[in-house]
Amino acid sequence: MVAVATCGSPSTPSAQPVAFTSTVSFGFCAPSLYCTSRLELSEQRATLTYESGQQAPLVKRRDLEPGEWQRLVAALDATRLRALPSRIGCPDCADGGAETLTVAFAEGPSSSVTFEYGQDVPGIAAVQARIRSIREAFDRPETGPLS
């Protein structure tokens, strides 16, 4: 058997992240409240979007502070992230909420894991702490489980 790499498909996935997305959601939530938030991080910017079933999305943006991206990248262990199952535990069971971390890499597929809200996941706890710190720097909406 001969393995052949195809064009544009690296034989070893990149460990260099180009974007992080952290989603927090609560499934059993009044439609008028903000029950989902999505934090998108790139090398220079953080964008936090709050979503509701009945209200317009609330979008907040800020530039990352000097060194913030480098600390975030340094906290990521791409090998351990890729080794995790796509779902850990029972996220949002009994309306406990769910978090999803997705990392897009320079080359190769992105990696994603969903877990119970607030859970520290072995192997990615350091990057979780960095992302949560960035999320906490934003003002929260006045209504909903994310407030």
Side-chain angles (χ1 to χ4, degrees):
M1 183 167 144
V2 175
V4 178
T6 60
C7 183
S9 187
S11 57
T12 304
S14 170
Q16 183 61 41
V18 294
F20 293 83
T21 303
S22 169
T23 304
V24 172
S25 62
F26 292 85
F28 186 72
C29 183
S32 61
L33 303 177
Y34 289 102
C35 302
T36 300
S37 69
R38 185 179 61 257
L39 176 63
E40 298 169 296
L41 299 162
S42 62
E43 191 170 350
Q44 297 178 1
R45 176 156 306 253
T47 302
L48 183 59
T49 304
Y50 292 101
E51 297 174 350
S52 163
Q54 293 179 348
Q55 298 186 59
L58 179 61
V59 180
K60 300 179 179 210
R61 294 178 179 87
R62 75 168 177 83
D63 291 337
L64 292 181
E65 296 174 12
E68 205 166 17
W69 177 258
Q70 290 79 9
R71 289 188 297 274
L72 185 59
V73 169
L76 176 67
D77 183 332
T79 302
R80 293 190 74 186
L81 172 64
R82 287 184 173 114
L84 293 171
S86 62
R87 184 178 182 95
I88 297 172
C90 190
D92 209 19
C93 290
D95 197 37
E99 289 185 60
T100 300
L101 172 63
T102 302
V103 180
F105 295 95
E107 295 178 354
S110 61
S111 290
S112 188
V113 61
T114 301
F115 46 92
E116 295 173 36
Y117 174 72
Q119 177 186 6
D120 290 330
V121 177
I124 62 167
V127 75
Q128 285 179 286
R130 290 277 177 206
I131 289 171
R132 288 172 180 158
S133 175
I134 294 169
R135 179 185 291 277
E136 290 298 318
F138 282 92
D139 291 332
R140 295 179 174 190
E142 294 181 14
T143 61
L146 301 171
S147 57

